Amino acid sequence: MNSRRMRNKIKYLTLLPILLAMILLVVIIVQYGIDSRETIITAIIVAAYILIVLFAYNRLMPVFRSTMVDYSLEQGKVQKELLHGLAVPYVLMDMDGKVMWANAKFYRAIEMNEKKFLQRRIDSYIPDLTPEALDDIEGEISMDVDLHDRKYNAVIRRVDLSTVFGEDSSDKEEDLVLVMHMFDVTNEKRLEQETYDQKLIAGLVYIDNYDEVMNSLEEVKHSILTALVDRKINMYLTNIDAIVRHLENDKYLFVFRQKYMQTLKSDRFSLLDDVKSINVGNDIPMTLSIGIGAGSETFTEAFENAKVAIGLALGRGGDQVALKFNEQVSYYGGKSTGTEKTTRVKARVKAQAFEELLENKEKVLIMAHKRPDADAFGSAVGIHRLVTTLGRKAYIVLNGETDAIAPLVNSFKNSNVYSDMIVSSGQALSMVDASTMVVVCDVNRPSMTECEELLEMVSTVVVFDHHRQSNEPIENATLSYIEPFASSACEMITEMFQYISVKPKIRPVEADAMYSGILIDTDNFLNKTGVRTFEAASYLRKSGADITRVRKMFRSSLVSMKERAQGISNAEIYMGCYALSYVEPDPDSSEAPTVPVAKAANELLNVEDVKASFVVTEGEDGILYVSARSIGDVNVQLVMERFNGGGHATVAGAQVKDTTKEEFFLKLRHILKQMSDEGSI
């Protein structure tokens, strides 16, 4: 078709002079007439000219055609040689990725002899170019591939041959091909990696329980323990070529290059266990918290990330590493339950800061988490008493009482003194003004609060919680008091009572509510119970809490007892130490779905050799509610975080959506096996 077009163009070029000669003849005729001498001479000359042109066309056309063919063939050979000797690998493939032709550079790149014919798909030679990677290529794509210790940037383009040659084809698929050329970027990637590896990373090391350990140790051994800890930290960090500076008795700053980050991850930060193994007569093992900031363009940003990371590590109970890489945070360690803080300095400082914040406020809205339990409501009542004692108005945001707190709520509703204490979310939103403060208790995740919109509407937010911090903090908190070592939020608020300038006078109904929170969260003083827990309970008892009255409020129904027994009956032991069970919810039960599974999980810890228990039930909304409990040997919070849950090392939970009970247990078994093999729990 192309040769035919060429002949037509040559024919047009030949007819053009003939046409001009005819026009000249017509002009002569018009000028001199058809019978004039001039017209006859011109006609003879034109006729002779036409004969000569036609003769030349017929005689020279075969020669011209042959010359053009020779030229086109020569040009094709030149182009083929140019492609064959192209400085970059060049490949022609069909749409399925099968190699049709490749140049010499490509043969050398895949280390094959040029005499061999490439008949297989491209992924047989370059594994990174899978059929999935070549599917649905529109226009041009670019991707990095590895080939025999070299790195290439492969540019793949779809070409329609019918448009290239100007031909129309009925089968468009046969006209489509893939053209690929590859640029060797090995040196560029190496330089990029070297630049990346040389970036500085900031790290902070805090000794979690320095004061507690030193107070429990003879004074003559203080310097020995300090020297051993200092030596362990310096030796460990020297192995990654880090610069270490001892800032205070319990704080270190270190700087190292990013190339060693993978070394620390592979080692799983064994420094945590090395320091815990130091024993010079101390009854309490010394633990560390490490915060590392990475992924930033400047060292200043890295240091800021390190400060955020160390705060997260401490907020989760210490004895772990928090690595903040840009916005992503990952954790290592944290297997121990931590050591109770015997000092109340933090409680005093937070209480005084809270009192100062109240000076410029007239109104306080208090809210806990959705589906509040006894600790959530009890701590809210405690904050209500603190605020009203200081002369401010206080309201508790509650959208509906669950069976877990119904006895407590009713005890307040039956009293005229608390007639306006409880408000709904809608009422709370309408009460917000410039002098309003929001206090969040027993939760530190904004999405789990009773009314998340309140957090965005006020300028002053205070958080009191005893759960470990997650990756979803309340970011605009003016004051945050998170103490993972506390047994309950009620314990924390009770301690704060002693440091307020005006000593609160707690009414018996308020003392009952706060005592209930401690009682329920510690499972009758069996879990996470320390010296400060009993001191708080003693304070509430002196303030009028009645143990018998509280016990009557929280007696279980027969339906609840049967559900708990079902959870125990359905239990199976996995890996010799994990109890897995489920509870089929009773439609006649008035309790929240979390109550029977929590009670069953607690009961299963009494089984011999069981280190942790996991009990699940399905709510009416299709969500799986999981309760996890441990006697201290296993950190169940780390397990629940895999299901986007959380809690404490010994008490944790999760809400799992779009998953069946069977799928959950299958995934749980896999996670328990994996984490046990890694030593993560």
Side-chain angles (χ1 to χ4, degrees):
M1 180 177 288
N2 288 334
S3 59
R4 190 184 310 120
R5 288 179 179 175
M6 181 61 71
R7 286 196 301 270
N8 289 335
K9 290 180 180 179
I10 295 174
K11 185 184 298 183
Y12 296 148
L13 291 175
T14 305
L15 292 176
L16 182 59
I18 297 175
L19 179 61
L20 293 175
M22 296 298 294
I23 293 173
L24 177 61
L25 180 59
V26 172
V27 172
I28 296 297
I29 294 173
V30 172
Q31 183 70 27
Y32 298 102
I34 192 170
D35 297 327
S36 65
R37 179 171 173 272
E38 290 82 359
T39 300
I40 295 172
I41 295 173
T42 302
I44 294 172
I45 294 173
V46 169
Y49 176 77
I50 292 174
L51 291 174
I52 294 171
V53 169
L54 293 176
F55 176 79
Y57 175 80
N58 290 327
R59 294 298 301 268
L60 296 178
M61 189 59 194
V63 177
F64 183 76
R65 188 186 304 125
S66 176
T67 303
M68 291 299 295
V69 170
D70 291 341
Y71 176 78
S72 62
L73 291 175
E74 191 65 28
Q75 285 294 104
K77 291 179 182 180
V78 171
Q79 291 178 9
K80 183 177 179 181
E81 286 300 319
L82 289 174
L83 287 177
H84 193 266
L86 197 63
V88 297
Y90 189 88
V91 184
L92 188 67
M93 303 171 285
D94 63 17
M95 294 304 294
D96 293 327
K98 186 176 180 180
V99 178
M100 301 167 61
W101 180 87
N103 68 350
K105 196 72 174 181
F106 181 78
Y107 276 94
R108 286 195 289 272
I110 63 175
E111 298 181 356
M112 284 188 63
N113 192 322
E114 291 186 49
K115 295 181 179 180
K116 292 186 177 181
F117 185 64
L118 304 179
Q119 296 179 329
R120 292 178 290 176
R121 297 170 61 97
I122 190 66
D123 56 337
S124 301
Y125 312 107
I126 306 177
D128 291 337
L129 296 176
T130 60
E132 292 77 16
L134 300 178
D135 281 346
D136 301 324
I137 293 180
E138 296 290 342
E140 183 177 286
I141 66 169
S142 176
M143 59 186 298
D144 292 332
V145 298
D146 294 327
L147 186 60
H148 300 300
D149 298 326
R150 307 294 295 178
K151 295 183 182 296
Y152 293 89
N153 176 247
V155 179
I156 307 172
R157 183 165 54 93
R158 189 176 76 167
V159 177
D160 188 349
L161 296 180
S162 63
T163 59
V164 173
F165 296 114
E167 297 178 355
D168 294 327
S169 173
S170 58
D171 192 350
K172 290 292 183 181
E173 290 296 326
E174 292 185 358
D175 293 332
L176 297 177
V177 295
L178 296 176
V179 175
M180 178 181 72
H181 51 274
M182 301 161 57
F183 299 99
D184 192 335
V185 293
T186 306
N187 292 333
E188 289 85 346
K189 294 293 182 182
R190 177 179 56 80
L191 293 173
E192 285 180 10
Q193 187 63 43
E194 288 179 0
T195 303
Y196 178 82
D197 290 341
Q198 294 301 319
K199 281 187 177 181
L200 291 180
I201 292 179
L204 292 168
V205 178
Y206 286 8
I207 301 175
D208 298 325
N209 51 354
Y210 181 86
D211 293 330
E212 286 76 17
V213 174
M214 291 303 179
N215 291 337
S216 68
L217 192 64
E218 299 175 21
E219 190 172 346
V220 294
K221 295 182 179 180
H222 286 188
S223 59
I224 299 175
L225 180 59
T226 301
L228 288 174
V229 172
D230 192 79
R231 183 170 180 271
K232 287 280 188 184
I233 293 174
N234 278 279
M235 287 185 62
Y236 183 83
L237 296 177
T238 300
N239 291 331
I240 59 170
D241 196 26
I243 299 174
V244 189
R245 287 294 177 268
H246 197 167
L247 304 177
E248 300 177 27
N249 289 336
D250 58 347
K251 293 180 176 64
Y252 294 81
L253 167 69
F254 64 99
V255 179
F256 65 103
R257 286 176 290 176
Q258 192 148 290
K259 63 183 291 186
Y260 295 106
M261 179 60 73
Q262 189 56 46
T263 303
L264 294 178
K265 289 182 179 180
S266 302
D267 181 58
R268 300 197 67 81
F269 298 89
S270 60
L271 177 63
L272 299 176
D273 294 326
D274 291 343
V275 171
K276 275 193 292 187
S277 66
I278 298 175
N279 192 323
V280 293
N282 49 302
D283 297 328
I284 304 173
M286 189 166 276
T287 62
L288 302 179
S289 288
I290 302 176
I292 298 176
S296 304
E297 292 299 324
T298 65
F299 182 72
T300 303
E301 293 177 356
F303 183 65
E304 291 299 322
N305 282 344
K307 290 196 292 186
V308 173
I310 194 68
L312 291 172
L314 293 170
R316 289 166 55 87
D319 187 30
Q320 59 193 282
V321 178
L323 169 60
K324 190 173 189 299
F325 193 95
N326 290 329
E327 299 302 319
Q328 183 180 359
V329 181
S330 53
Y331 301 97
Y332 300 85
K335 293 185 287 184
S336 67
T337 57
T339 306
E340 181 192 14
K341 302 288 185 181
T342 57
T343 176
R344 296 187 178 184
V345 175
K346 192 174 182 180
R348 175 176 56 81
V349 172
K350 299 296 184 181
Q352 293 174 353
F354 180 59
E355 189 172 355
E356 291 175 3
L357 287 175
L358 278 174
E359 291 180 358
N360 299 321
K361 302 297 177 183
E362 298 293 333
K363 190 188 310 170
V364 178
L365 299 174
I366 309 161
M367 65 176 175
H369 53 77
K370 299 172 183 176
R371 289 184 173 274
D373 53 13
D375 187 37
F377 185 74
S379 57
V381 169
I383 297 169
H384 182 275
R385 169 48 54 198
L386 278 176
V387 174
T388 53
T389 299
L390 294 171
R392 303 294 186 271
K393 295 180 181 179
Y395 305 91
I396 297 176
V397 182
L398 185 65
N399 290 322
E401 59 190 70
T402 61
D403 292 321
I405 62 170
L408 292 175
V409 176
N410 290 333
S411 65
F412 284 89
K413 287 183 175 180
N414 295 332
S415 173
N416 294 329
V417 179
Y418 305 99
S419 58
D420 61 345
M421 182 180 75
I422 298 175
V423 297
S424 65
S425 292
Q427 291 173 312
L429 291 171
S430 64
M431 296 167 66
V432 173
D433 55 32
S435 63
T436 302
M437 174 196 291
V438 169
V439 178
V440 179
C441 56
D442 200 37
V443 64
N444 59 61
R445 291 187 177 187
S447 61
M448 295 181 65
T449 57
E450 194 76 80
C451 182
E452 187 176 355
E453 293 85 352
L454 280 176
L455 301 176
E456 302 173 357
M457 295 180 64
V458 298
S459 58
T460 306
V461 177
V462 178
V463 180
F464 297 123
D465 189 25
H466 68 115
H467 297 99
R468 290 187 174 195
Q469 277 187 300
S470 66
N471 294 340
E472 185 196 356
I474 297 175
E475 296 180 351
N476 61 331
T478 308
L479 174 65
S480 182
Y481 181 20
I482 298 176
E483 183 57 88
F485 302 107
S487 68
S488 57
C490 287
E491 176 189 319
M492 297 170 59
I493 304 304
T494 303
E495 285 185 346
M496 290 175 59
F497 281 171
Q498 304 168 53
Y499 302 107
I500 299 296
S501 58
V502 182
K503 299 303 178 185
K505 184 178 180 181
I506 307 176
R507 295 189 175 95
V509 66
E510 296 169 340
D512 284 350
M514 298 182 70
Y515 186 87
S516 300
I518 298 177
L519 191 71
I520 297 300
D521 264 29
T522 59
D523 189 24
N524 294 311
F525 298 99
L526 293 177
N527 292 326
K528 285 186 64 64
T529 308
V531 174
R532 291 165 65 176
T533 309
F534 288 106
E535 289 177 349
S538 175
Y539 180 89
L540 293 171
R541 183 71 182 89
K542 293 176 184 178
S543 300
D546 190 312
I547 300 174
T548 303
R549 190 165 58 232
V550 171
R551 183 177 179 183
K552 286 181 178 179
M553 283 193 291
F554 289 95
R555 286 185 295 180
S556 301
S557 65
L558 182 60
V559 173
S560 175
M561 294 291 287
K562 288 181 178 180
E563 286 182 325
R564 189 189 314 179
Q566 181 195 154
I568 299 172
S569 175
N570 293 335
E572 63 169 290
I573 305 301
Y574 179 65
M575 295 178 64
C577 59
Y578 302 119
L580 313 182
S581 185
Y582 63 92
V583 173
E584 295 290 349
D586 193 319
D588 297 328
S589 176
S590 59
E591 290 184 323
T594 55
V595 176
V597 294
K599 292 179 178 178
N602 286 327
E603 290 290 341
L604 286 171
L605 292 180
N606 296 322
V607 178
E608 186 179 6
D609 296 328
V610 170
K611 296 181 180 179
S613 60
F614 302 88
V615 185
V616 63
T617 190
E618 184 175 353
E620 294 180 357
D621 50 8
I623 298 176
L624 295 182
Y625 295 88
V626 188
S627 282
R629 299 292 185 269
S630 166
I631 59 174
D633 296 334
V634 175
N635 190 335
V636 291
Q637 187 226 0
L638 297 179
V639 180
M640 289 295 95
E641 283 183 339
R642 299 292 185 95
F643 295 94
N644 201 30
H648 301 285
T650 56
V651 180
Q655 297 180 11
V656 185
K657 299 180 180 179
D658 303 322
T659 303
T660 65
K661 178 181 61 181
E662 292 74 19
E663 291 172 342
F664 168 77
F665 280 121
L666 185 65
K667 185 176 180 180
L668 177 62
R669 289 186 180 92
H670 173 73
I671 288 174
L672 290 174
K673 180 70 168 59
Q674 181 185 37
M675 297 183 75
S676 296
D677 292 342
E678 293 175 352
S680 302
I681 56 174

